Amino acid sequence: MAAVLDTDILDRRGADSLSSRLAAARSRARRDALAMIKRENLAAPAMTCRIVPVDRIAGAEIELDGVAVHAPGLTGAPGELQAVAAAVCTLGAALEGRISALFTARHRLLALALEDIGNEMLFRLADRSVARIRRKARLDGLESGIEASPGDAGLALDQQASVLALAGSIRIAVSATGTSMLSPVKSLSLLVALGRGLDSRRAPGRCDCCPSRDRCGAK
């Protein structure tokens, strides 16, 4: 009797083998990327933040130390908004330059690993900045409310320059491009509402807007 090949089983085994090899390749690329970051000093983490009292609220616009920010996500939340914290974090320009060079040289897997690790580092740096803000707010007798970055719901991307001005981003050499993107690219800006009886949820968007969200370990 002639043997009959189960092609479904063969296909599954082939797919499992391919998946296993890809996982191993990604793991090696991540190890290589971590070693490269340390060896070449590709990350230069820096942050700056300020807590600024609210001068006036007019609808969705907040005036803070001479800077006007259109932030319906903050003004429309429950509670009394008394101050706003502005923060900017960056890893510097070297990491993004190395990622671009690797893509150009067609070392795609290593470039993607560097991209993912950079995003993880940046988000953790932002979390540290927010934690620092919340600690300082508590010492000042303020509750922490919603957190939002330009481009999130309730804080349009065109507010980027105002957020940078409030945070004093010039101190860490972070600026906004003509399209309100950040330079260096591996940078992040945000606002945190402070006051009384505030909603402490975070505005959606940090991971949703990230190009590496489907494979990043920071989520």
Side-chain angles (χ1 to χ4, degrees):
M1 182 176 178
V4 177
L5 290 176
D6 186 341
T7 55
D8 287 342
I9 291 176
L10 291 176
D11 287 345
R12 285 198 299 273
R13 286 176 177 171
D16 289 344
S17 176
L18 178 60
S19 177
S20 178
R21 291 198 302 272
L22 182 56
R26 285 176 173 169
S27 181
R28 287 194 301 272
R30 183 176 177 86
R31 289 196 300 270
D32 291 345
L34 286 167
M36 181 178 288
I37 289 171
K38 293 177 182 178
R39 184 175 63 251
E40 300 181 15
N41 294 317
L42 295 178
M47 68 171 78
T48 181
C49 58
R50 284 178 69 211
I51 293 178
V52 187
V54 170
D55 293 329
R56 188 174 73 95
I57 298 175
E61 188 168 277
I62 313 169
E63 290 187 8
L64 307 130
D65 194 24
V67 178
V69 182
H70 186 80
L74 274 63
T75 60
E80 180 187 359
L81 183 65
Q82 297 177 322
V84 173
V88 177
C89 307
T90 187
L91 298 180
L95 181 59
E96 188 63 30
R98 194 70 171 94
I99 291 169
S100 297
L102 286 169
F103 273 122
T104 300
R106 299 188 179 181
H107 298 303
R108 184 174 182 273
L109 207 55
L110 183 55
L112 290 173
L114 275 179
E115 180 82 31
D116 289 348
I117 292 169
N119 290 337
E120 292 172 29
M121 293 175 67
L122 182 59
F123 288 173
R124 288 172 185 168
L125 187 61
D127 288 342
R128 285 172 53 194
S129 181
V130 171
R132 178 183 296 181
I133 287 168
R134 296 187 189 280
R135 286 195 300 269
K136 178 63 166 62
R138 283 197 299 272
L139 291 175
D140 292 344
L142 297 171
E143 299 172 8
S144 300
I146 193 168
E147 170 196 336
S149 292
D152 288 350
L155 184 63
L157 186 60
D158 62 11
Q159 299 302 298
Q160 188 78 265
S162 295
V163 175
L164 297 189
L166 285 171
S169 68
I170 192 172
R171 290 194 290 269
I172 57 172
V174 175
S175 59
T177 68
T179 55
S180 296
M181 304 304 290
L182 292 178
S183 178
V185 173
K186 281 287 179 279
S187 303
L188 187 150
S189 64
L190 58 91
L191 297 179
V192 181
L194 304 173
R196 297 279 187 275
L198 302 178
D199 187 346
S200 61
R201 64 188 170 85
R202 193 183 75 191
R206 182 186 294 181
C207 289
D208 294 342
C209 297
C210 177
S212 302
R213 64 186 178 275
D214 293 332
R215 61 179 187 276
C216 182
K219 295 189 296 180

